[in-house]
DNA sequence: CCCGTGACTGGCA
DNA sequence: ATGCCAGCCACGG
């Protein structure tokens, strides 16, 4: 166990939120952290996703606040970029998507 | 137990 | 506008 108030539940919550991101939409580490009540826990979200490789969630839809695919190194080859392009998400740079255009806020969860 | 590391971020130079 | 820096906090060595 850890000395925080979240423990393993925190990761579960992260996975649940990520699983709700609609196709063709993206969100950020910070947005998820904020939604879970930990404004400064963006890094923890990233850490959770790193450990989520077998959770079967669309982790490729989580980017940093600038829309950069900072987690691409954790996917095989260009899997992260390829999946996003397959969802018709537009890029402004080779590894940067139009975050403004596709941003999905966790609070909009249906 | 201390220290470095990181899928981050906001603020300041 | 661009870039650097200091907080951030769980984890592993």
């Amino acid at each position: 166990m850890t000395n925080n108030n979240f423990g393993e539940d925190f990761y579960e919550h992260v996975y649940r939120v990520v699983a709700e991101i609609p196709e063709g939409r993206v969100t950020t580490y910070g947005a998820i952290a904020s939604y879970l009540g930990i404004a400064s826990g963006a890094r923890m979200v990233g850490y959770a996703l790193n450990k989520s490789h077998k959770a079967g969630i669309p982790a490729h839809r989580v980017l940093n606040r600038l829309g950069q695919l900072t987690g691409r190194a954790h996917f095989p080859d260009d899997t992260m970029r390829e999946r996003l392009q397959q969802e018709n998400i537009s890029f402004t740079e080779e590894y940067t998507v139009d975050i403004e255009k596709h941003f999905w806020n966790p609070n909009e969860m249906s």
Side-chain angles (χ1 to χ4, degrees):
Chain A
M1 257 306 270
T2 57
N3 62 333
N4 62 41
N5 300 315
F6 309 106
E8 300 177 353
D9 287 342
F10 178 70
Y11 302 109
E12 291 302 315
H13 293 312
V14 172
Y15 301 159
R16 198 172 312 156
V17 175
V18 174
E20 294 300 320
I21 305 174
E23 245 187 64
R25 306 294 296 289
V26 297
T27 193
T28 69
Y29 302 97
I32 294 173
S34 178
Y35 173 75
L36 295 179
I38 312 162
S40 56
R43 300 184 84 149
M44 298 303 96
V45 173
Y47 197 90
L49 290 184
N50 182 34
K51 189 190 156 204
S52 78
H53 64 87
K54 68 174 185 181
I57 56 179
H60 61 282
R61 296 181 186 141
V62 184
L63 319 168
N64 77 350
R65 73 180 177 117
L66 300 178
Q68 294 167 160
L69 283 58
T70 50
R72 66 187 160 83
H74 294 266
F75 289 83
D77 306 304
D78 267 335
T79 306
M80 189 174 189
R81 186 168 63 92
E82 288 169 10
R83 284 183 177 171
L84 290 171
Q85 294 187 315
Q86 283 169 26
E87 299 180 7
N88 294 312
I89 289 178
S90 50
F91 286 63
T92 59
E93 300 290 336
E94 185 171 14
Y95 290 106
T96 307
V97 311
D98 188 337
I99 187 72
E100 304 261 329
K101 183 175 180 181
H102 302 281
F103 183 73
W104 173 80
N105 191 300
N107 298 297
E108 298 175 14
M109 274 202 273
S110 52

